[in-house]
Amino acid sequence: QQQLMESGGDSVQAGGSLRLSCLVSGYTASTYNLGWFRQAPGKEREGVAAIDNDGGASYADSVKGRFTISKDNAKNTLYLQMNNLKPEDTAMYYCAADPLLYCSGGYCYYSETINWGQGTQVTVSS
């Protein structure tokens, strides 16, 4: 059974840091890329970062230099380290798995078969 389960969301002040985790099960690492998306109230879901099966990372322009995506294959866990958080980073953050997921030119691309986790809330106060 394919499952994505996020954790680590919290409320922090601007300039702070958080690390999100996503427990990944039921996916074959060699055929799926993993990533993080976010959705703020009243806005569309947007891609944040992606990592391919070779560990190559890509990011949306809005988080480059502040966020780092990584994965631990032995623990079946995807991470998103978020530093220098800003109020505009406030959103529900979702883990995702998709064979075609990648980010380029400020946008993250994926197929119609993308799978999502349930999300974890990040709130950044000024």
Side-chain angles (χ1 to χ4, degrees), residues 9-92:
D10 205 345
S11 296
V12 297
Q13 290 191 329
S17 298
L18 280 176
R19 188 177 79 159
L20 305 182
S21 299
C22 176
L23 183 61
V24 181
S25 59
Y27 292 91
T28 302
S30 61
T31 58
Y32 278 88
N33 295 341
L34 301 173
W36 290 96
F37 286 70
R38 65 187 182 185
Q39 187 168 18
K43 295 188 176 181
E44 293 187 354
R45 190 172 298 189
E46 63 173 356
V48 174
I51 188 165
D52 63 29
N53 50 57
D54 292 326
S58 55
Y59 299 90
D61 288 348
S62 59
V63 304
K64 277 183 181 177
R66 299 189 299 122
F67 291 10
T68 303
I69 189 171
S70 63
K71 61 180 180 176
D72 186 330
N73 290 332
K75 295 182 178 180
N76 295 320
T77 303
L78 176 72
Y79 301 101
L80 184 68
Q81 177 66 43
M82 305 186 294
N83 298 327
N84 190 23
L85 283 161
K86 304 176 181 181
E88 51 263 42
D89 295 318
T90 294
M92 184 71 78

Side-chain angles (χ1 to χ4, degrees), residues 1-6 22-37 45 47 49-53 69 71 76-78 93-102 108-119:
Q1 183 179 359
Q2 296 176 329
Q3 280 191 321
L4 302 166
M5 186 176 299
E6 304 93 336
C22 176
L23 183 61
V24 181
S25 59
Y27 292 91
T28 302
S30 61
T31 58
Y32 278 88
N33 295 341
L34 301 173
W36 290 96
F37 286 70
R45 190 172 298 189
I51 188 165
D52 63 29
N53 50 57
I69 189 171
K71 61 180 180 176
N76 295 320
T77 303
L78 176 72
Y93 282 72
Y94 298 90
C95 177
D98 184 74
L100 303 179
L101 175 60
Y102 73 100
C108 295
Y109 300 86
Y110 52 92
S111 76
E112 60 184 11
T113 62
I114 192 168
N115 291 317
W116 309 97
Q118 294 299 306

